[in-house]
Amino acid sequence: MTYALISLLIPLLTALVLLLTGSRRGVWVILASALSLVAAAFALLSVMGSGTQYLALGGWEAPLGIRFHLQPVAALLLVFTALIHLLVAVYAERSSHSQTRDTDYWPLSSLLHASLAALWLSNDLFNWYVTLELLGLVAVALVTLSGRKAYGAALRYLLLSLVGSLCYLLGVALLYGRYGVLDVTLLAELTVADATTQMALLLMTLGLMVKGALWPMHLWLPPAHAGAPTSVSALLSALVVKGPIFILWVLWAKVAPPELAVSAGWLMAVAGVIALISAGWSAIRTPYIKVLVAYSTVAQLGYALLALGLLLYWQEPELEVALWLFIIAHGLAKVSMFLAAGEMQATIGTKRVAGLKGATETMPVAMFAFAVAGGSLIGLPPSGGFVAKWILLLPLFAEPAHWPWALGVLVGTLVSAAYVFRVVALAFDRADPVRPDFVPDRFAQWLALLPALLVWGMALISQPLIQWLTGVSG
Amino acid sequence: MTPVMFWLGIGIVLFVLGLHGVLLARQAIRRIIAINIMGSGVFLVMVALAARGEARDPVLHALVVTGLVVAVSATAFALRLATAAQAGDKKASEPKA
Amino acid sequence: MARFVAGAAGMGHGVDQSAAHSMADGGERMNLGWTSILPVLIVLSSLIPGLLIFTLREERIRTRTALNLFGVVLKLALVGLMLFGVSQGMVFHFELPFLPFAPLILQGDALSLQFVSLSSVLWLATTVYAIGYLEGAKLRSRFFGYFSLCVSATVGLALAGNLVTFLLFYELLTLATFPLVVHRGTPEALRAGRIYLAFTMGGGVLALMGVAVLHTIAGSPEFVEGGYLSGFIQDFSPALMLAFVLLITGLGVKAALVPLHGWLPQAMVAPAPVSALLHAVAVVKAGAFGIVRVVYDVFGVGTMQAMNLHLPLLWLAALTIVYGSVKALQQQDIKKRLAYSTVSQVSYITLGVALMGPLAAVGALVHLVHQGLMKVTLFFAAGNFAESLHVHRIDEMNGIGKRMPLTMAAFTVGALGMMGAPPIAGFISKLYLGQGALQVNQAWVIGVLMLSGMLNAAYFLPILYRGWFMSPPTEWPKDTKLGGGAPGWRETHWMLLLPVLFTAALSILVGVLAGTDLSPLNWAQLIVNREFDL
């Protein structure tokens, strides 16, 4: 537990120090992320050794006090968060096209890191409200870093995020009014399927869906994620939208009474399939590179929603494995994709997909990174995306009554392939390559490739990872 | 109807009104005000719930205070962003992301 | 609902408990002797040179050529070693944990070696050809890099020991060939590439679904002669049916079964070595090989017959054979005619497999090799005509035999072989397929074979007639890049000529020497004896 707390406190302190001293040097954040990663890794090890741990903050025990809760999944997500922050921080510092060097990006991203860590560790409904709100505000502030042109999108993001938080908060108030506790573990033992609980869960779910850009509440995401500076887009798509999904999972899988969860699960699964198809279609149609990548986030969150929905619908805790694998595989792939897209966009000097014509010649490594990351999004073996899809597919085929759901996965795969290869095919066009305006930054391109390779490298540890996740689920 | 139920009802009504305003208003400033009305509704519900038992519930009061702080800072941020966005709209007309 | 860890659920039915156990802890069991390393080395012998080639700058021709040839020779030597080992009864087996109850397995059995040997020998020919063909072209490092990756994927697919491993290499093959199909980067090439991807990605995801369905029933054990599903027919009949349809559809895309063949004629815009690769060495063959694996080593002859799955497959194959030949007859472009001819000829393999008799199976397996040799000869020759004399259409071939006698002779060997003229390789395949059809009382198949043979003659003989007997144009183009060569040398660049003569000679040799111990026929016989337990 101490390690987890250290992993949270390091970025928090870094953010405060940077804010107070006025320093905007990225080195500190890189260092902090690395240290936080090490601490998170130790936390993961200790959870693997001794299981779930609790820490009462300030010595106040539940129900009055707030307690942190280090469960195995949270430890994994801590490591994942720190890793992504480290990668993106190195990019933001070293890339010659980074728009965020020596800006407020550094304290803000550290703050983002800390709020995410707090979110994973929290175990009570109100704490989540605070972390969600913090996450939303910091994310919006990060979006505004790209200047005036992003203000409109940022404002829309902020307003919707606030509406989402208030919906969530009202739900929390209703639940507290009904049961008198906020701590999730205590609450889980009390809940019954009555009208108040149903209403509260509905409100909280709506709020979380807005914040997590889950279909059909996703409309704010593409402009915000596409308009942000590249390193910010990567963080937002890879990490920030995952927070609400985590809370949704705890809420429905642990707190909600099963009879409510079953019907909600069906709805979520359907929404997931629709997200895969409709957002995928938008990604196929959009003329802008980063908007394409952003829509792909909405589409891929559909997989997570599908896994979560089926988990609830069939009450199969093992499907958690698919959910977390999707979250991690998507996070790594998306970082790679946004960094590659951002590099190409900045180097070639166009925001349009059509501008990537001939990019395999002009920027081979970045294009390769895009394609490799895309391969994981499509779910080609043996990438992490494939492993997640495989785990999701197996229960779908276990009974003939479940087979129709596989159609959703099938269509999702084809749609992802369509938007990834839309870009890749264009990059092989030799008719009239668009020449880069600037000298391509080799280091940044290789850095963009790194997470893509990591997500394919998940194949090497997939068996123990699946076994471990299966062991800790349910 | 008990006073608790009365205030609860008022809170919910405020929340719904605010939500309606956010979804339908087009000007940023109106939407920000609408969000604040939503927030007031939620806080009212919480305060009303705090009074539901024999003793006042301190946890809910603490939550409202925290919530107010968050709401005030979020509103300030939103207002700043809205004015900046408007200024930006006037200068260069490229609201597309 | 304890159905989730479906592999485990399926295992519970108790066919293969010990295998399930050994797979679950495959990591600890990993044996690192040379017999387990060899299959990996065979894959790496093209993969590593390929990756190195990507990093080479364009002008480093010598290093690139050296790397290529080193990989080829090394692979041939390793395959030779494995051939020797397998014929001595050794077991080559490599295992890596990947998914629960579905490890990655590379292994060398008789069937995989049939395909690996073909790919490796043809890779040698194709590499030499490609080096000559692309002399002075742009982006050669990229080309040869993907070329090597493509061969690695093919070899991996041949050595794959279970369905999950097969699927992995099947998808990697798609990825590695796509850049080759669009290599020219022209609008037509990109269009062909998109069509290719649409078909193969669709096929890939269907195959994935099929593999997943089977995994929920029985896990993903190793391929085994006679299949591993016979114990599940009673309880899982609809699921098995679904899995079969999904798998055959997914594999049928690459095997160019009608109506899934649409990408193949389109892909003709790719450079000639790539066409050779698609049609003879890698892609189409991967599909056909996959069908062989699924029918024999997953479902098994018994299960196929019990569920009557082989009949629809047989009809589909027969239809494809006739349809491909008719379409080939309508084409005026040489490469297009050859492409439709592939559609038809590759389905001989599926046909022989679906007949479910030992003799037909021998015909199918030997045709896997024979068709490769003959088709690669035809494509090399067509490439030579196009590069040396700008001849792309059949009506431009008048008298070309006088200008390029050696290439034309090779082309003739390939074409006659396709028609089934003795003693060229194709004759052997057709002989066994015909006898096999009689053996299982499907005499109508003989009719299909004869019809196809006549159609083959109808679309190849006019070409031969034009090439040898009609009078050439007054002047052949002189501005071609590869028309010259040394003074007095009238054919074409030697690097283009040697491979085509080599494969033509092989096509005759494997036919003439079919009775000997080392022939593909003998090897096919060996595989069939095991599959049918003779």
Side-chain angles (χ1 to χ4, degrees), chain A residues 316 360 394 398 425 430 462-463, chain C residues 3 24 98-99 142 183 185 216:
Chain A
E316 295 239 43
T360 49
L394 294 185
R430 274 157 75 176
S462 54
Q463 174 150 333
Chain C
R3 308 210 48 157
F98 176 43
L99 296 167
R142 191 176 92 187
H183 182 73
T216 57

Side-chain angles (χ1 to χ4, degrees), chain B residues 14 42 45 67 80 83:
Chain B
L14 279 179
V42 176
V45 167
R80 178 73 190 90
T83 43

